[in-house]
Amino acid sequence: MIGFTFGFSSILILLVAALIASSVRIFREYERGVVFMLGRFWKVKGPGLVLIIPVVQQAVRMDLRTVVFDVPPQDVITRDNVSVKVNAVVYFRVVDPEKAVIQVARYFEATSQLSQTTLRAVLGKHELDELLAEREQLNADIQKVLDAQTDAWGIKVSIVEIKHVDINETMIRAIARQAEAERERRAKVIHAEGELQASQHLLEAAQTLARQPQAMQLRYLQTLTTIAADKNSTIVFPLPIDLLSALLDRFGKPTAP
């Protein structure tokens, strides 16, 4: 009889110990427990030590850290009918554990699928040039749309980054030709602007020389100095009569015989 009592007490102690062990939950700093009482939501508990009544209560463990996942390449047709493949990376985290458990069955899969459809929808509204040049703005647009739709699930989408935009070879050659034509256009415009500025300066110089005859004489003298530096050439340089007018005035006109 004593042995039976001892055996029953040991079993009872083991059952109590197992019951206590099954009722203890330890949640880390980045974890929360969504507790249900008889199938109904009760409260969110954690971090630290949490006691759960077996059978009566159930707890779902949720991770609040930022999750990073790659959006697989998506076929996107831009507004100017160019087919490209685009992939991206999305950063999100759970901000409301209650909604993430109750409002959606598998929040990670739901966010992933929504990211793919949103990527195609947003990029399809833009032309290829915008897709290549305004990537930061497109990232912000996709993040805003995703965050608005996942808010009901208790999910916060913080960052969306477009990683690669793959274009077929035909379109790459067309873009190269377009870039070359644009560079040629800019070169011609710059050359024309230079010619215009040069002609304006020449016109101003001519007007200045016309108003000041002495300046014209100085210009002829400078030209003679430049020519004299080259000793291997014989140059016939016309000397305007205006340069000799001062001498003629000084000695007077010759008298007739």
Side-chain angles (χ1 to χ4, degrees):
M1 185 67 181
I2 295 175
F4 175 76
T5 303
F6 178 76
F8 180 76
S9 299
S10 300
I11 295 173
L12 184 61
I13 292 173
L14 291 175
L15 289 175
V16 172
L19 185 63
I20 294 174
S22 64
S23 64
V24 174
R25 298 286 189 278
I26 297 177
F27 296 98
R28 297 181 178 87
E29 185 65 32
Y30 55 83
E31 293 178 330
R32 298 294 184 272
V34 181
V35 182
F36 293 86
M37 178 78 73
L38 297 176
R40 297 179 64 86
F41 172 75
W42 183 43
K43 64 172 60 176
V44 177
K45 305 188 73 174
L49 181 65
V50 176
L51 296 178
I52 303 296
I53 302 175
V55 181
V56 178
Q57 294 179 336
Q58 297 84 31
V60 179
R61 189 182 298 269
M62 297 296 296
D63 194 326
L64 304 185
R65 291 177 295 182
T66 299
V67 179
V68 183
F69 73 91
D70 288 327
V71 179
Q74 302 295 309
D75 291 323
V76 178
I77 299 178
T78 61
R79 191 172 62 181
D80 50 350
N81 294 324
V82 178
S83 179
V84 296
K85 283 185 175 293
V86 183
N87 66 338
V89 59
V90 177
Y91 297 77
F92 73 93
R93 61 188 179 91
V94 177
V95 294
D96 191 336
E98 176 188 353
K99 291 182 179 179
V101 173
I102 298 175
Q103 299 298 329
V104 61
R106 293 182 295 275
Y107 70 89
F108 183 88
E109 181 179 351
T111 305
S112 176
Q113 295 296 324
L114 183 61
S115 301
Q116 297 178 32
T117 57
T118 303
L119 185 68
R120 293 194 298 267
V122 173
L123 298 184
K125 298 178 182 178
H126 298 269
E127 296 182 355
L128 180 62
D129 292 341
E130 298 173 350
L131 185 59
L132 298 176
E134 301 179 3
R135 188 167 297 188
E136 292 185 0
Q137 182 60 44
L138 294 176
N139 291 337
D141 293 343
I142 298 172
Q143 182 271 333
K144 184 177 180 181
V145 174
L146 272 177
D147 190 44
Q149 295 181 347
T150 58
D151 182 67
W153 303 340
I155 305 296
K156 171 64 178 178
V157 178
S158 55
I159 302 175
V160 176
E161 291 287 343
I162 298 174
K163 294 176 63 178
H164 300 290
V165 178
D166 295 330
I167 310 173
N168 58 43
E169 293 294 332
T170 303
M171 186 54 60
I172 291 176
R173 290 193 294 269
I175 293 175
R177 290 195 300 269
Q178 180 182 0
E180 183 178 359
E182 178 64 20
R183 288 192 296 269
E184 292 179 356
R185 183 190 68 84
R186 292 180 181 179
K188 291 179 180 179
V189 170
I190 293 173
H191 180 71
E193 291 178 351
E195 292 290 337
L196 177 61
Q197 293 178 3
S199 63
Q200 290 175 348
H201 290 307
L202 288 174
L203 177 60
E204 293 175 359
Q207 292 174 350
T208 302
L209 293 174
R211 290 194 301 266
Q212 301 291 335
Q214 297 83 359
M216 178 66 75
Q217 296 174 3
L218 291 175
R219 184 58 183 164
Y220 270 104
L221 294 176
Q222 291 177 354
T223 304
L224 288 174
T225 304
T226 304
I227 295 174
D230 190 0
K231 300 179 180 179
N232 298 325
S233 301
T234 301
I235 300 175
V236 178
F237 186 79
L239 185 65
I241 195 63
D242 293 340
L243 293 177
L244 302 176
S245 60
L247 296 175
L248 294 176
D249 294 340
R250 182 176 179 178
F251 293 104
K253 299 181 179 180
T255 59

